[in-house]
Amino acid sequence: MTRSITILGATGSVGASTLDLVRRNRAEWRIEALTAHSNVAELAKLAREFGAGVAVIADEARLGELKEALAGSGVEAAAGRAALCEAASRPADIVMAAIVGCAGLAPVMAAIEQGSTVALANKEALVSAGEVMTAAVEKHGATLLPVDSEHNAIFQCLQGGRLDEVRTITLTASGGPLRLVDDLDAVTPEQAIAHPNWDMGAKISVDSATMFNKGLELIEAHHLFPVGLDKIRIVVHPQSVIHSMVEYRDGSTLAQLGPSDMRVPIASCLAYPARMDTPMAPLDLPAIGELSFFHPDEDRFPATRLARQAAEAGGAAPATLNAANEVAVAAFLAGKIKFSRIALLVEAVLNAGNMSAAPRSLDEVLEIDAGARRAAEALMETA
Ligand code: NDP
C-alpha cells in the first residue's frame, strides 16, 4: 500500500536521510510536499525526482526561480511562510519535521493542528513551544514520533513500559569534537562542525560541540517523556553506540544500540509501529571493543546546566535559551564571536529578561523568541 509523506526541510541532512530511505522503497511512498529555505536548485531537483505534489521555498524572493526550475514538471511551486504552513497541513500519512531552528515551529504546529503523525527532528520547535505544542498534540489527536536518535531510543525502550514505572532516563552524549580540546577560545567553526561520529547540519554540529544539543534534548525529553526533570540524566558516551537508556523500578535498564546514522531512527518513525529494512551493516560489538561513559564537564561546557535551569524555571526561559543560542551559533559560524562566548551570551540573555510569563499560544512563543533574538543581538553589540 502506498503511503504519503511531506518533508519539511527536505534539502537538509535529516531531509536527505529521509529521502534516501524513501528512494530505496520508492514504490511504497508518494511525496505530498517538499520544502526548503533558499536552496532552490536542490529543492527543484528533489521535487522532480520524486514527483512531489508541491515544492515550497520559504524565501519568497525565490519563487520566480523555483517556478522556472520546475517548469514542465507538473510540480506546483509556492513560497513564503504561509505556504510552508499550508504544505505542512496538507493531508499526509506522515510529516517529517526537519527544518532547523524555531523557524520550523509554525509549520510543525500547522501539521499538529491537522491531527497528523509528525516525525519530529526539529527539537528547537518543541523546546520553544513546550506545553503549547504538547497541549495541541493532545487537543488535535496528533501523534509525535521522536526522530532525534536519543529520544527515538527512549521511545523504543518505553514500548510496553509505563512512565510511572521509570526510575531514570539516561540521555547519552558523544561529548562532541571539543571534549578534549584545551583552548575553547581558539576553536574555529570548521573544528566545531567536525563531529567525530555524526554527519549533520552546521547548527546542530555546533550545538553538539557546545553541548547545547544535549541541553535542548534534555528539555525535549522532559516534554516527550514527562517523568520529572530530576529523573533525566546525561552521560557522556564518546562511541555513540548506545543512543539512550531507560531504567525501570525493578532495576532493569533497557538501552537502544545502533550505528551513528540518522537513517536508523528515521526508519523507526517511517515504519512505526512495524520495522523496515535499512542499508545498515550489522552492529559489530567486538570490532567496537569498548564502550565508555563519563559525567559531563559542566564547568567547561555549561550548556547542559543552563538548559536544566531553564527547564526548571519554565515560563519564557526555554524559548529564550533556544533563541539566544540560535543567534549565538549563527554569529559564531559567521566569525563574529568566539566559541566560548556562545554559552556566555545565552546565560546573559536569560539573566537580562523576566522569564516568569509562560507562553499560552504559538504567537506568544514567537513573541518570546523574537524578543530573545533582539536581546542577544543587542548584548552582542555591547559586550
Ligand atoms: P540542515 O541545516 O542540514 O537542514 C535544515 C533544513 O531546514 C534545510 O532544508 C533548510 O533549507 C531548511 N531551513 C533552514 N532555515 C529555514 C527557515 N528559516 N525556514 C524554512 N526552512 C528552513 O539541518 P539538519 O538536517 O541537520 O537538522 C534539522 C533539524 O533536525 C534540526 O532541528 C536538528 O536539531 C534536528 N536533528 C538533526 C540531526 C542530524 O543528524 N542532522 C539529528 C537529530 C536532530 P535550505 O537547504 O534551503 O537552507
Side-chain angles (χ1 to χ4, degrees):
M1 198 181 66
T2 311
R3 298 175 69 219
S4 57
I5 183 167
T6 283
I7 304 177
L8 308 170
T11 50
S13 164
V14 171
S17 294
T18 307
L19 284 167
D20 179 77
L21 292 171
V22 169
R23 195 178 279 116
R24 289 167 193 275
N25 300 277
R26 194 64 200 91
E28 292 171 26
W29 291 99
R30 184 174 60 75
I31 303 272
E32 184 62 39
L34 296 178
T35 81
H37 178 234
S38 56
N39 191 345
V40 166
E42 183 64 13
L43 177 64
K45 185 171 140 244
L46 294 170
R48 279 180 180 274
E49 177 190 348
F50 289 95
V54 63
V56 182
I57 195 84
D59 181 353
E60 281 187 79
R62 300 194 185 222
L63 180 58
E65 225 181 296
L66 181 63
K67 280 187 171 160
E68 211 173 290
L70 288 173
S73 66
V75 179
E76 190 189 326
R81 303 215 50 77
L84 271 188
C85 292
E86 192 277 328
S89 54
R90 286 183 172 218
D93 291 308
I94 188 160
V95 176
M96 169 57 72
I99 291 175
V100 62
C102 195
L105 174 57
V108 170
M109 290 294 284
I112 289 172
E113 282 162 15
Q114 295 306 312
S116 302
T117 296
V118 178
L120 185 73
N122 181 196
K123 66 190 85 185
E124 297 91 345
L126 181 56
V127 167
S128 301
E131 287 83 8
V132 170
M133 187 184 290
T134 50
V137 167
E138 177 103 6
K139 178 174 171 195
H140 298 284
T143 303
L144 280 189
L145 297 175
V147 173
D148 226 343
S149 59
E150 295 77 0
H151 305 75
N152 187 268
I154 296 162
F155 184 73
Q156 294 196 42
C157 294
L158 283 170
Q159 298 303 306
R162 284 191 355 218
L163 281 183
D164 64 354
E165 298 198 312
V166 170
R167 192 189 277 166
T168 59
I169 286 176
T170 299
L171 288 166
T172 54
S174 69
L178 307 178
R179 190 170 66 90
L180 304 173
V181 168
D182 285 333
D183 185 2
L184 293 179
D185 271 347
V187 168
T188 63
E190 292 70 29
Q191 279 174 293
I193 286 175
H195 198 282
N197 306 338
W198 297 90
D199 181 12
M200 309 182 285
K203 194 262 176 181
I204 185 177
S205 297
V206 176
D207 284 346
S208 295
T210 57
M211 293 288 281
F212 265 110
N213 185 46
K214 215 47 57 182
L216 297 175
E217 287 178 7
L218 174 76
I219 303 175
E220 186 184 9
H222 166 57
H223 291 298
L224 290 172
F225 315 112
V227 294
L229 274 166
D230 56 326
K231 293 185 177 172
I232 308 178
R233 296 173 184 174
I234 296 170
V235 167
V236 175
H237 164 46
Q239 296 85 5
S240 299
V241 171
I242 295 182
H243 297 299
S244 278
M245 296 172 249
V246 174
E247 180 189 30
Y248 287 94
R249 65 183 180 135
D250 59 4
S252 273
T253 296
L254 304 193
Q256 186 262 349
L257 288 70
S260 306
D261 189 311
M262 282 306 291
R263 287 175 296 182
V264 177
I266 292 170
S268 132
C269 292
L270 295 187
Y272 182 80
R275 297 279 176 177
M276 63 186 275
D277 290 336
T278 70
M280 297 307 130
L283 189 64
D284 186 350
L285 286 174
I288 294 165
E290 279 182 18
L291 300 182
S292 45
F293 304 92
F294 306 93
H295 289 297
D297 181 348
E298 293 191 333
D299 293 330
R300 297 187 71 228
F301 299 99
T304 48
R305 172 178 55 79
L306 292 174
R308 192 177 286 278
Q309 286 167 351
E312 279 163 359
T320 300
L321 172 128
N322 177 68
N325 181 53
E326 286 193 33
V327 171
V329 171
F332 168 68
L333 287 171
K336 290 186 194 159
I337 63 170
K338 286 182 182 168
F339 178 82
S340 44
R341 267 202 78 201
I342 298 175
L344 292 175
L345 192 65
V346 172
E347 187 161 24
V349 175
L350 282 166
N351 290 338
N354 176 359
M355 298 295 134
S356 59
R360 285 158 302 172
S361 65
L362 171 60
D363 285 347
E364 288 185 6
V365 176
L366 295 176
E367 256 174 54
I368 292 167
D369 176 82
R373 282 168 200 272
R374 284 194 299 274
E377 297 285 0
L379 278 166
M380 219 155 36
E381 293 303 318
T382 53

